[in-house]
Structures are given as structure tokens and as C-alpha cells.
Amino acid sequence: MTELQSRTPARFASIGSPYFGIMLAVMAVVLILSNIGAAKGVVIGPIITDGGFFLFPLAYILGDVISEVYGFKVARKAIVTTFALSIFASLCYWVIIGLPGFDDDFGRMKQQALEGALGPVPLIVLASLLGFLVGQTLNSWVLVRMKERWGERRLWARLMGSTGVGEFADTLIFCSIAASIIGINDVPTFVNYVLVGFVYKTLVEFLFVPVTTAVIGWVKRREPSYNALASDSSAA
């Protein structure tokens, strides 16, 4: 039975149910909000991070679910769509900041607050675009390749292995661009920023592996095309 399972080809669902659309929407919202939060540097004791630290891992967890259930091509489509929406949001911030506001003390105060909160976001989006694009692509590619080799077995290994590769590339690229934007200008602080970001995001995803596994199982059971492939494989 083990030998037969090891030769079972990887199965992926087609996009034919509302689940992919819901996950894509949540993934885009999470990324847009994390880009805004990342404009703020955060210090918690010896830990240096940014305001988007608690949101960003959720985007990777959703990426894992999409990659495992739908495959690399669909995951790549989700990544590109998410970033197109993120760029659109950044352009909207730029227009909002540029529009003439009320010329009184309250209006000027609101303008300064908008510029301080949303002004750095386009640069943060650039950092996030490059980091997430490379990191999520690697994450999806590694997960799918491992699935093609092992079939449905060892999901935990696929999730953890792909996370380590993707998060390291993502964190290094993002922090290299975003560090100066949030006020990090020396090497020790930058190393702290990179290591804390990588370790934190990776640990969060590792801790959420049981949840991610449960969500993947739930979606697989409700995707008609995935169940059809499972039935065909059993019949063969």
C-alpha cells in the first residue's frame, strides 16, 4: 500500500467553486493592510519589527492552501492578482494625498496625518511586491514539487519545507528595501529586523500547520473537482 501511495500522482482541483475567490479576496485584503502596517516601525523589548507583523503570515497560510489544493498555476494567478490590487490601492493613496483639502487647522492636520500614514506605502508596496512575489512563488513551487513527488502524503513536510524557503527570500528582500523607510539605518538593527522577521513568520506558520492542514482538508472535501480526481484515482 505504501509503494502504491508513493506512486499516486498529485491531484489539484480546478477553479469551479466559490472557495478560491473567497481565499483570493482575503489574501488581497491581508496584504493591503499589512503594507499599511509595515510603514510603522515597532519595538517590543529587544525585538524590532513593523506594524504588519501579525498580518503577513496569514497571506502565506492562504498561499499554502491555494497551492496545495489548486496547484502552481492557480497560485501564481492569485499572487499576481493580489499584487495588482495592492498596486491599485497604493495609487489610490497617492491620489487621495494629492487632492486639495480644507485649508484650516483641522484640514491641514488631517493632511499631515494622511501623508505620514500613507505616504511611505508606495515604497512599502515595492518592497512587498518584490519580496512577496519571489517568496510566494518559491513557496508555491516547492510545495507543489514536493506534492508531485510524494502525492497526498507528508502534507506537514510540504508546508514546513516550502515555508522556510519562501519566508527567507521574502523577508530578506522586503527588509532590504523597507528598512530605511521605517528608520533602520545601521547593520546590527537591520540584522535584527531580518532575523526577527524570518524567525517570527516561520514559527507562526509552523505553529499554524495543524490549522492549515485542517483548512486544506476542509476545502479538498468540498471541491467537487478534487473529489472527482480522488474517485478516479481510487478506481484506477
Side-chain angles (χ1 to χ4, degrees):
M1 178 64 70
T2 302
E3 182 66 21
L4 177 60
Q5 288 178 336
S6 67
R7 294 182 180 180
T8 301
R11 302 193 305 267
F12 300 104
S14 58
I15 304 175
S17 72
Y19 301 116
F20 171 74
I22 293 171
M23 288 187 286
L24 176 60
V26 175
M27 190 173 175
V29 170
V30 166
L31 184 62
I32 290 170
L33 291 177
S34 66
N35 285 339
I36 296 174
K40 176 180 178 178
V42 173
V43 180
I44 305 174
I47 297 174
I48 298 173
T49 182
D50 57 62
F53 77 96
F54 66 98
L55 279 168
F56 200 74
L58 296 178
Y60 263 83
I61 291 172
L62 288 167
D64 284 339
V65 177
I66 291 172
S67 299
E68 172 68 20
V69 177
Y70 300 99
F72 181 69
K73 289 184 179 180
V74 175
R76 186 172 57 191
K77 180 183 297 185
I79 295 167
V80 172
T81 302
T82 298
F83 271 104
L85 294 172
S86 185
I87 291 171
F88 174 72
S90 183
L91 291 174
C92 289
Y93 304 149
W94 179 74
V95 172
I96 292 168
I97 291 173
L99 290 172
F102 293 152
D103 192 18
D104 56 19
D105 290 341
F106 184 63
R108 287 190 291 270
M109 181 180 67
K110 289 181 69 177
Q111 179 67 20
Q112 290 176 355
L114 279 171
E115 291 176 355
L118 300 180
V121 167
L123 296 176
I124 293 292
V125 168
L126 174 62
S128 182
L129 174 63
L130 295 176
F132 191 74
L133 186 63
V134 174
Q136 266 287 14
T137 301
L138 286 173
N139 178 73
S140 177
W141 186 85
V142 170
L143 189 150
V144 170
R145 291 298 173 268
M146 292 176 72
K147 183 175 182 179
E148 289 175 346
R149 180 175 181 179
W150 292 335
E152 294 296 314
R153 298 181 303 133
R154 302 179 185 174
L155 175 57
W156 63 270
R158 296 199 294 278
L159 294 175
M160 296 178 74
S162 61
T163 290
V165 174
E167 286 290 10
F168 179 76
D170 188 331
T171 305
L172 182 61
I173 294 172
F174 176 81
C175 292
S176 297
I177 299 174
S180 60
I181 300 171
I182 66 174
I184 295 176
N185 298 307
D186 60 275
V187 174
T189 307
F190 172 75
V191 172
N192 185 317
Y193 185 37
V194 173
L195 291 179
V196 167
F198 170 67
V199 171
Y200 163 75
K201 293 173 186 176
T202 304
L203 283 178
V204 167
E205 290 202 51
F206 283 3
L207 290 174
F208 271 84
V209 163
V211 177
T212 307
T213 301
V215 172
I216 287 172
W218 188 90
V219 176
K220 284 180 177 179
R221 289 191 297 271
R222 284 158 179 79
E223 273 291 0
S225 58
Y226 203 95
N227 290 323
L229 286 170
S231 298
D232 292 342
S233 177
S234 299

